[in-house]
Amino acid sequence: MDWLPPPPPPLLLAVEASPATLVFQKAKGTLPSGHRRWVLQLRRGGKTLASWPAVSGTRRAQASDRRWSPGNGAPLPVGSYNVGRPERWDGSWWIDLSPRFSTTRSALGIHTCLPGSGCICLPNKADTDAVATWINKAGVRRLQVLN
């Protein structure tokens, strides 16, 4: 009988099989534009694979109601979202975000923009291109907004 190496530990299999997810959170400081700094990260199995500076919400609306007041320029509400497939939009990409919780907010997404509004706004097209590529290649289907 041929000798076979032992299988990898179950934890290693779970990490390799775990789907990539996006995580969005406030970061310290401001961008050169004066907007509050946020960061969008691609994570798999507890490791950060990529990271991009971002904006969410207008400068004046950072403390506004994020869940129930559409159109007020507030940052994206805390919670879990389904991530749609990237679609060509205005020379860049639109990536639809569907909240997995109750809210009156709508038309939420990831796209290239500055100044920010209530979406995840990536200040440059190259970063939006990179996020769209990762979503397509890694099969990203979830986003978690932490704070």
Side-chain angles (χ1 to χ4, degrees):
M1 180 169 167
D2 293 328
W3 180 84
L4 296 173
L11 180 59
L12 182 59
L13 287 174
V15 167
E16 289 177 355
S18 68
T21 60
L22 291 170
V23 175
F24 189 60
Q25 61 188 328
K26 294 176 188 174
K28 291 184 179 184
T30 58
L31 295 176
S33 65
H35 289 83
R36 176 159 195 20
R37 182 181 298 273
W38 290 72
V39 64
L40 179 64
Q41 298 174 325
L42 176 73
R43 294 184 185 170
R44 176 180 277 146
K47 293 188 178 198
T48 300
L49 304 176
S51 180
W52 303 274
V55 170
S56 188
T58 64
R59 286 186 237 185
R60 294 183 188 155
Q62 292 296 304
S64 296
D65 182 345
R66 294 165 64 176
R67 201 168 205 151
W68 303 109
S69 300
N72 68 354
L76 204 61
V78 171
S80 183
Y81 296 76
N82 291 326
V83 176
R85 296 217 178 261
E87 300 173 38
R88 283 281 178 199
W89 183 65
D90 196 27
S92 185
W93 298 97
W94 171 264
I95 302 156
D96 194 59
L97 299 175
S98 301
R100 296 172 56 86
F101 54 88
S102 181
T103 180
T104 56
R105 300 278 302 266
S106 61
L108 301 173
I110 301 170
H111 58 100
T112 305
C113 64
L114 193 62
S117 59
C119 294
I120 295 177
C121 299
L122 299 171
N124 70 67
K125 183 182 174 310
D127 287 348
T128 310
D129 290 345
V131 171
T133 299
W134 273 105
I135 288 171
N136 284 330
K137 290 192 175 185
V140 176
R141 295 294 169 253
R142 294 279 191 269
L143 165 78
Q144 187 68 38
V145 177
L146 298 181
N147 56 16

